[in-house]
Amino acid sequence: MSAVAAAGGAGRPRGGPGGGGRVSSSDARAQRAANAEAPKVPHLLRRISELFTPYKGQLIVTGVLVLIGAALTVVPPLLTEQAFDLGLFPASGTPDIPVLFELVGLMVLIWVLGAALGVWQTYLTAKVGNRVMGDLRIRLFSHLQRMELAFFTRTKTGIIQSRLQNDVGGVANVLTNTVSSVLGNTVTVIAALVAMLLLSWQLTLVAAVLMPLLVSVQRRVGQVRARIASETQESLSDMTAITQETLSVSGILLAKSFNRQGAEVARYSDENDNQIALQVRQQMSGQWFFAIVQIVLSIVPAVVYLAAGYLIAGGVDITAGTIVAFSTVQARLMWPLLGLMRVGLDLQTSGALFARIFEYLDLNPAIVDAPDAVALPASRSAGRVEFAHVGFVYPDGDPEHPTLDDVSFVVEPGQFAAFVGPSGAGKTTVSYLVPRLYEATSGAVLVDGHDVRALRHESLVDRLGIVSQETYLFHATIAENLRYAKPDATQAELEDAARRANIHERVMSFPLGYDTVVGERGYRLSGGEKQRIAIARVLLKDPAVLILDEATSALDSISERVVQDALDTAARGRTTIAIAHRLSTVVGADVIFVVDDGRIVESGTHSELVARGGAYVALLAQQLTAD
């Protein structure tokens, strides 16, 4: 079915889907600014937390480890107080060595235990975080697979790739470290504050007086970073799109053909400069804030010493051990506080990325199975296709000038039906509506008497085979490309399909035979060879209905004859709908429908239409003149 997504070019219906032109740098920046100012997805934090639901058990274990580890970090300072007051400077005036051994031994044990718990906790958080990220990537990819064809014709492939790679990758740090960091730092801060209160509530008030101001400033910094992050991801999307367009085989061939390599480098360089500027802004945003925070937290101990001096002079009972222990706890408080503030900034920054991811996940496919959809009954003798007063307008088309207007016809099982007409008449649109790549705006498309909207899409597509003008082959072997239609096909089945497609002998002439790698989009093969492999792929699927979308129009006359023979073999014994550019290829069709301006203006066999002397004869005359 990949070939269908690539179909287009000549015969693109009026108002049909377009890939969109290149956007200027100023327009792109304006779009990025608009996206940056867009409201965030509602309940974003709730939706992020739901991503961790399948891993509740591991998160609970992680949480317990974090709680224990964080609680252990504040015990050594309390032991330090005891070591000073009871071991080094006891009331007797002589150091108590046994007490010191006991207290130091406990400190060492706690540090070793904390380190071991930290390693275990890091493993669990890394495992859970990366699994969540993987789940998110698969969920997004799966959702995109369900989107209708129109979505991909109006969205650059590079932008879609950027959502999957750059945006999901951009939230990796939050997914892997946030839970443990928030839990660990929060517990450490709370435990440290409790320890500080136990040591001296007066000194605790002095140490904590500036915290509310720092939290307020942090929130403002986070908003700025989130806006820059959104702009940065938009720029990355543009860079990915440029890379995908210009470094593909088709893009390189086009650039070399028009000597535009320098222009492409300049276009990429401009966006790269913009990306560098945004990255620098993102790195620098908040640096002054953290510098101030570090200065404040660093001078607090000195302020504590000064405050302790005033308190002791005022008659408050504070020992040297208390001051040392308090300073130790306060020093341990600095990094968890910084960690919490950084996590807060990361969450605000990553919120913009999560919003972009959820934006795609919230897209509703335009074509979905109805709740009561049924499977198309399997019958090898079936294959009746009917259009009943079908009208169609593309999503970006003009309703006053529909692409198809009140089109009705019937193709009986086993018939070869050809659709001919001038470019833009609506022929290719007919081939899109049968497999329900687009939804009819009015009327009904029926297969074997069933409205396609009432069928399970999977069962419908299983009965159809499509060969388009622009053949799509994966950068893989010939055998792998063929097995895309039937993964469990045997080698004998591959060769049988290839023989019927007139390509087996050619494949066997390659040194590696069916293990020959065809290259990007099959560029190592000729146009005729690619088309015959595509035909063999469809034959392997063995569909009841075969759709040929101008499958020979881009070939030379020799290749056309070889491919046409293969198509005739493929069409034998099955319903065939052929969108034809060259009328010579459909002279023997059971019925020919002449399409013009979105309507069927004539139908009949070749001889009947020639005898009628109407639009079909005019098309013949135009082709004879062109030839």
Side-chain angles (χ1 to χ4, degrees), residues 399-625:
E400 298 297 323
H401 299 89
T403 303
L404 294 181
D405 185 10
D406 195 28
V407 171
S408 296
F409 65 82
V410 175
V411 182
E412 297 294 346
Q415 270 193 326
F416 188 110
F419 288 80
V420 302
S423 179
K427 306 185 299 297
T428 296
T429 302
V430 171
S431 71
Y432 285 162
L433 297 185
V434 177
R436 207 180 170 204
L437 298 176
Y438 287 92
E439 200 86 278
T441 307
S442 60
V445 178
L446 301 100
V447 174
D448 291 339
H450 299 272
D451 190 323
V452 294
R453 291 169 292 197
L455 295 172
R456 292 179 190 162
H457 192 247
E458 185 178 275
S459 71
L460 171 65
V461 175
D462 280 343
R463 306 299 304 282
L464 306 176
I466 301 173
V467 180
S468 67
Q469 174 183 346
E470 186 179 345
T471 301
Y472 189 93
L473 298 180
F474 295 104
H475 193 299
T477 66
I478 293 173
E480 289 170 327
N481 273 283
L482 292 176
R483 284 197 175 95
Y484 194 72
K486 188 179 180 182
D488 59 348
T490 64
Q491 183 64 28
E493 289 176 315
L494 297 185
E495 293 180 6
D496 177 65
R499 283 191 180 92
R500 287 186 286 152
N502 293 337
I503 192 63
H504 174 71
E505 287 74 15
R506 180 58 179 153
V507 171
M508 294 307 297
S509 71
F510 299 141
L512 297 179
Y514 284 86
D515 291 326
T516 300
V517 176
V518 301
E520 178 78 12
R521 298 178 65 89
Y523 264 90
R524 294 180 64 184
L525 305 176
S526 69
E529 289 166 351
K530 288 192 294 185
Q531 282 293 56
R532 282 179 283 164
I533 289 176
I535 294 168
R537 184 166 56 188
V538 168
L539 287 171
L540 203 60
K541 184 179 182 182
D542 193 25
V545 178
L546 179 63
I547 299 173
L548 308 174
D549 185 8
E550 305 198 48
T552 64
S553 63
L555 303 178
D556 59 78
S557 57
I558 296 176
S559 296
E560 180 187 354
R561 283 196 296 271
V562 177
V563 172
Q564 190 60 50
D565 289 341
L567 290 173
D568 291 341
T569 300
R572 196 170 298 135
R574 67 186 91 238
T575 305
T576 302
I577 294 175
I579 310 303
H581 174 71
R582 293 174 180 167
L583 302 185
S584 59
T585 63
V586 296
V587 170
D590 297 311
V591 59
I592 300 173
F593 297 99
V594 182
V595 184
D596 190 16
D597 199 28
R599 290 175 173 270
I600 293 179
V601 295
E602 283 184 335
S603 64
T605 64
H606 170 75
S607 57
E608 289 171 347
L609 293 174
V610 169
R612 198 172 298 166
Y616 183 74
V617 172
L619 285 173
L620 279 173
Q622 289 176 7
Q623 288 204 359
L624 288 172
T625 302

Side-chain angles (χ1 to χ4, degrees), residues 144-163:
L144 289 170
Q145 287 285 329
R146 293 193 295 271
M147 293 302 295
E148 71 281 2
L149 182 60
F151 169 79
F152 297 96
T153 61
R154 65 175 179 262
T155 308
K156 289 182 178 180
T157 304
I159 291 177
I160 297 174
Q161 291 174 346
S162 182
R163 296 283 172 121

